[in-house]
Amino acid sequence: VVGRAETLAALFFLAAWWCYLRGRPAAGAAAFLAAALCKESAFTFLAVLPLSDYIARRNWDRRTFARYAPFAAAAAVALGLRYIVLGGFAPLAISAAANPLAGAGALERLLTATLVFGKYLWLLVFPLPLSADYSFNQIPVVRNPWSPSVLFAAAVVAGAAWAARRSRPLFFCGVFFLATFSLTSNFLRPIGTILAERLLYLPSMGFTCALA
């Protein structure tokens, strides 16, 4: 049931993107606001706007900021509502039982997040085994930077980055995947879970478009 937030946020996210590309910033900002209210990870839409302009080879001038202004206003409204309801912008307290990275050091968190990122990529290619719950010790915290799993994940990311540099569409797909996944990746800060397959719902569009 909690996955409804992912699908609704993705629906309004894509609607906002479609409106932006069609030159309808007001409608796009309204859709973006709806997406952000469905799930906070939709704020990554703000990174997709300059990415779209880069791919479309649009010139950056004063009109660019005029196009972005409605979306910045929608983001401010969403943040304001979040502050009023929760009394702050940060998430509520995270239990170490739900996400062991909540109590891990910065290096351990980054190493484990790299390992988890590799697991996400593996699930995109071969979705087995699947699980509804990765809490507690399903994925132990990584403390060894030379762990084979960590090195494999880093090598995959490096290979993908190399391929993306050789193709503008692949670059777009790769950056879209990373941008939409960034807030739920545990790289920036711990979230409520160490891994959840539903978090791949919107980022997977970048992966499937790259395959196409």
Side-chain angles (χ1 to χ4, degrees), residues 11-26:
L11 170 66
F12 291 118
F13 185 108
L14 296 177
W17 197 9
W18 185 88
C19 290
Y20 177 75
L21 296 175
R22 297 300 186 277
R24 302 174 183 175

PDB file of all heavy atoms in Angstrom, residues 11-26:
ATOM      1  N   LEU A  11       3.527   9.802 -11.395  1.00  0.00           N
ATOM      2  CA  LEU A  11       2.494  10.283 -12.320  1.00  0.00           C
ATOM      3  C   LEU A  11       2.538  11.805 -12.445  1.00  0.00           C
ATOM      4  O   LEU A  11       2.608  12.361 -13.551  1.00  0.00           O
ATOM      5  CB  LEU A  11       1.114   9.829 -11.836  1.00  0.00           C
ATOM      6  CG  LEU A  11      -0.082  10.447 -12.574  1.00  0.00           C
ATOM      7  CD1 LEU A  11      -0.118   9.977 -14.020  1.00  0.00           C
ATOM      8  CD2 LEU A  11      -1.388  10.081 -11.867  1.00  0.00           C
ATOM      9  N   PHE A  12       2.520  12.509 -11.309  1.00  0.00           N
ATOM     10  CA  PHE A  12       2.534  13.965 -11.344  1.00  0.00           C
ATOM     11  C   PHE A  12       3.901  14.502 -11.782  1.00  0.00           C
ATOM     12  O   PHE A  12       3.988  15.565 -12.409  1.00  0.00           O
ATOM     13  CB  PHE A  12       2.148  14.526  -9.974  1.00  0.00           C
ATOM     14  CG  PHE A  12       0.712  14.293  -9.621  1.00  0.00           C
ATOM     15  CD1 PHE A  12       0.362  13.521  -8.518  1.00  0.00           C
ATOM     16  CD2 PHE A  12      -0.303  14.832 -10.392  1.00  0.00           C
ATOM     17  CE1 PHE A  12      -0.964  13.303  -8.196  1.00  0.00           C
ATOM     18  CE2 PHE A  12      -1.638  14.619 -10.078  1.00  0.00           C
ATOM     19  CZ  PHE A  12      -1.970  13.855  -8.972  1.00  0.00           C
ATOM     20  N   PHE A  13       4.973  13.799 -11.448  1.00  0.00           N
ATOM     21  CA  PHE A  13       6.323  14.159 -11.888  1.00  0.00           C
ATOM     22  C   PHE A  13       6.382  14.188 -13.413  1.00  0.00           C
ATOM     23  O   PHE A  13       6.835  15.168 -14.016  1.00  0.00           O
ATOM     24  CB  PHE A  13       7.311  13.128 -11.327  1.00  0.00           C
ATOM     25  CG  PHE A  13       8.757  13.415 -11.582  1.00  0.00           C
ATOM     26  CD1 PHE A  13       9.589  13.820 -10.553  1.00  0.00           C
ATOM     27  CD2 PHE A  13       9.310  13.230 -12.837  1.00  0.00           C
ATOM     28  CE1 PHE A  13      10.941  14.068 -10.781  1.00  0.00           C
ATOM     29  CE2 PHE A  13      10.657  13.473 -13.076  1.00  0.00           C
ATOM     30  CZ  PHE A  13      11.465  13.895 -12.047  1.00  0.00           C
ATOM     31  N   LEU A  14       5.908  13.129 -14.037  1.00  0.00           N
ATOM     32  CA  LEU A  14       5.941  13.046 -15.492  1.00  0.00           C
ATOM     33  C   LEU A  14       4.973  14.039 -16.130  1.00  0.00           C
ATOM     34  O   LEU A  14       5.248  14.586 -17.203  1.00  0.00           O
ATOM     35  CB  LEU A  14       5.626  11.621 -15.940  1.00  0.00           C
ATOM     36  CG  LEU A  14       6.643  10.562 -15.503  1.00  0.00           C
ATOM     37  CD1 LEU A  14       6.192   9.175 -15.942  1.00  0.00           C
ATOM     38  CD2 LEU A  14       8.018  10.868 -16.081  1.00  0.00           C
ATOM     39  N   ALA A  15       3.841  14.283 -15.466  1.00  0.00           N
ATOM     40  CA  ALA A  15       2.901  15.286 -15.975  1.00  0.00           C
ATOM     41  C   ALA A  15       3.540  16.672 -15.946  1.00  0.00           C
ATOM     42  O   ALA A  15       3.401  17.455 -16.901  1.00  0.00           O
ATOM     43  CB  ALA A  15       1.619  15.264 -15.147  1.00  0.00           C
ATOM     44  N   ALA A  16       4.252  16.980 -14.855  1.00  0.00           N
ATOM     45  CA  ALA A  16       4.932  18.268 -14.759  1.00  0.00           C
ATOM     46  C   ALA A  16       5.999  18.406 -15.835  1.00  0.00           C
ATOM     47  O   ALA A  16       6.163  19.480 -16.440  1.00  0.00           O
ATOM     48  CB  ALA A  16       5.555  18.426 -13.368  1.00  0.00           C
ATOM     49  N   TRP A  17       6.714  17.337 -16.081  1.00  0.00           N
ATOM     50  CA  TRP A  17       7.760  17.347 -17.108  1.00  0.00           C
ATOM     51  C   TRP A  17       7.158  17.572 -18.491  1.00  0.00           C
ATOM     52  O   TRP A  17       7.647  18.350 -19.291  1.00  0.00           O
ATOM     53  CB  TRP A  17       8.522  16.030 -17.045  1.00  0.00           C
ATOM     54  CG  TRP A  17       9.835  16.032 -17.739  1.00  0.00           C
ATOM     55  CD1 TRP A  17      10.496  17.114 -18.259  1.00  0.00           C
ATOM     56  CD2 TRP A  17      10.661  14.903 -17.982  1.00  0.00           C
ATOM     57  NE1 TRP A  17      11.683  16.722 -18.817  1.00  0.00           N
ATOM     58  CE2 TRP A  17      11.813  15.374 -18.664  1.00  0.00           C
ATOM     59  CE3 TRP A  17      10.548  13.551 -17.690  1.00  0.00           C
ATOM     60  CZ2 TRP A  17      12.831  14.518 -19.062  1.00  0.00           C
ATOM     61  CZ3 TRP A  17      11.571  12.698 -18.080  1.00  0.00           C
ATOM     62  CH2 TRP A  17      12.709  13.184 -18.752  1.00  0.00           C
ATOM     63  N   TRP A  18       6.066  16.878 -18.758  1.00  0.00           N
ATOM     64  CA  TRP A  18       5.382  17.016 -20.042  1.00  0.00           C
ATOM     65  C   TRP A  18       4.921  18.459 -20.235  1.00  0.00           C
ATOM     66  O   TRP A  18       5.084  19.039 -21.313  1.00  0.00           O
ATOM     67  CB  TRP A  18       4.191  16.059 -20.091  1.00  0.00           C
ATOM     68  CG  TRP A  18       3.492  16.023 -21.416  1.00  0.00           C
ATOM     69  CD1 TRP A  18       3.781  15.237 -22.496  1.00  0.00           C
ATOM     70  CD2 TRP A  18       2.365  16.820 -21.798  1.00  0.00           C
ATOM     71  NE1 TRP A  18       2.911  15.500 -23.523  1.00  0.00           N
ATOM     72  CE2 TRP A  18       2.031  16.453 -23.131  1.00  0.00           C
ATOM     73  CE3 TRP A  18       1.610  17.794 -21.153  1.00  0.00           C
ATOM     74  CZ2 TRP A  18       0.970  17.047 -23.817  1.00  0.00           C
ATOM     75  CZ3 TRP A  18       0.548  18.379 -21.843  1.00  0.00           C
ATOM     76  CH2 TRP A  18       0.243  18.008 -23.154  1.00  0.00           C
ATOM     77  N   CYS A  19       4.345  19.051 -19.199  1.00  0.00           N
ATOM     78  CA  CYS A  19       3.885  20.438 -19.283  1.00  0.00           C
ATOM     79  C   CYS A  19       5.054  21.390 -19.525  1.00  0.00           C
ATOM     80  O   CYS A  19       4.952  22.338 -20.318  1.00  0.00           O
ATOM     81  CB  CYS A  19       3.147  20.830 -18.008  1.00  0.00           C
ATOM     82  SG  CYS A  19       1.537  20.020 -17.792  1.00  0.00           S
ATOM     83  N   TYR A  20       6.170  21.143 -18.862  1.00  0.00           N
ATOM     84  CA  TYR A  20       7.334  22.005 -19.043  1.00  0.00           C
ATOM     85  C   TYR A  20       7.830  21.949 -20.484  1.00  0.00           C
ATOM     86  O   TYR A  20       8.125  22.988 -21.095  1.00  0.00           O
ATOM     87  CB  TYR A  20       8.447  21.592 -18.085  1.00  0.00           C
ATOM     88  CG  TYR A  20       9.716  22.379 -18.264  1.00  0.00           C
ATOM     89  CD1 TYR A  20       9.806  23.692 -17.808  1.00  0.00           C
ATOM     90  CD2 TYR A  20      10.826  21.826 -18.904  1.00  0.00           C
ATOM     91  CE1 TYR A  20      10.965  24.437 -17.985  1.00  0.00           C
ATOM     92  CE2 TYR A  20      11.985  22.555 -19.082  1.00  0.00           C
ATOM     93  CZ  TYR A  20      12.056  23.860 -18.627  1.00  0.00           C
ATOM     94  OH  TYR A  20      13.198  24.597 -18.812  1.00  0.00           O
ATOM     95  N   LEU A  21       7.925  20.758 -21.022  1.00  0.00           N
ATOM     96  CA  LEU A  21       8.409  20.601 -22.391  1.00  0.00           C
ATOM     97  C   LEU A  21       7.437  21.192 -23.412  1.00  0.00           C
ATOM     98  O   LEU A  21       7.847  21.543 -24.517  1.00  0.00           O
ATOM     99  CB  LEU A  21       8.649  19.121 -22.697  1.00  0.00           C
ATOM    100  CG  LEU A  21       9.747  18.438 -21.871  1.00  0.00           C
ATOM    101  CD1 LEU A  21       9.804  16.947 -22.196  1.00  0.00           C
ATOM    102  CD2 LEU A  21      11.098  19.091 -22.129  1.00  0.00           C
ATOM    103  N   ARG A  22       6.162  21.287 -23.045  1.00  0.00           N
ATOM    104  CA  ARG A  22       5.151  21.860 -23.942  1.00  0.00           C
ATOM    105  C   ARG A  22       4.942  23.352 -23.705  1.00  0.00           C
ATOM    106  O   ARG A  22       4.037  23.946 -24.282  1.00  0.00           O
ATOM    107  CB  ARG A  22       3.814  21.125 -23.766  1.00  0.00           C
ATOM    108  CG  ARG A  22       3.822  19.657 -24.128  1.00  0.00           C
ATOM    109  CD  ARG A  22       4.208  19.440 -25.586  1.00  0.00           C
ATOM    110  NE  ARG A  22       4.091  18.054 -25.999  1.00  0.00           N
ATOM    111  CZ  ARG A  22       5.011  17.120 -25.803  1.00  0.00           C
ATOM    112  NH1 ARG A  22       6.123  17.426 -25.137  1.00  0.00           N
ATOM    113  NH2 ARG A  22       4.836  15.894 -26.233  1.00  0.00           N
ATOM    114  N   GLY A  23       5.768  23.942 -22.847  1.00  0.00           N
ATOM    115  CA  GLY A  23       5.661  25.375 -22.613  1.00  0.00           C
ATOM    116  C   GLY A  23       4.462  25.775 -21.782  1.00  0.00           C
ATOM    117  O   GLY A  23       3.893  26.859 -21.988  1.00  0.00           O
ATOM    118  N   ARG A  24       4.087  24.942 -20.813  1.00  0.00           N
ATOM    119  CA  ARG A  24       2.965  25.242 -19.924  1.00  0.00           C
ATOM    120  C   ARG A  24       3.469  25.246 -18.478  1.00  0.00           C
ATOM    121  O   ARG A  24       3.186  24.332 -17.700  1.00  0.00           O
ATOM    122  CB  ARG A  24       1.856  24.209 -20.100  1.00  0.00           C
ATOM    123  CG  ARG A  24       1.335  24.126 -21.536  1.00  0.00           C
ATOM    124  CD  ARG A  24       0.349  22.990 -21.696  1.00  0.00           C
ATOM    125  NE  ARG A  24      -0.093  22.873 -23.083  1.00  0.00           N
ATOM    126  CZ  ARG A  24      -0.893  21.902 -23.527  1.00  0.00           C
ATOM    127  NH1 ARG A  24      -1.331  20.970 -22.678  1.00  0.00           N
ATOM    128  NH2 ARG A  24      -1.249  21.852 -24.798  1.00  0.00           N
ATOM    129  N   PRO A  25       4.229  26.266 -18.104  1.00  0.00           N
ATOM    130  CA  PRO A  25       4.869  26.261 -16.787  1.00  0.00           C
ATOM    131  C   PRO A  25       3.893  26.295 -15.620  1.00  0.00           C
ATOM    132  O   PRO A  25       4.162  25.692 -14.579  1.00  0.00           O
ATOM    133  CB  PRO A  25       5.745  27.514 -16.817  1.00  0.00           C
ATOM    134  CG  PRO A  25       5.126  28.388 -17.854  1.00  0.00           C
ATOM    135  CD  PRO A  25       4.571  27.464 -18.887  1.00  0.00           C
ATOM    136  N   ALA A  26       2.759  26.993 -15.750  1.00  0.00           N
ATOM    137  CA  ALA A  26       1.805  27.075 -14.636  1.00  0.00           C
ATOM    138  C   ALA A  26       1.221  25.696 -14.330  1.00  0.00           C
ATOM    139  O   ALA A  26       1.179  25.263 -13.171  1.00  0.00           O
ATOM    140  CB  ALA A  26       0.700  28.078 -14.962  1.00  0.00           C
TER     141      ALA A  26
END
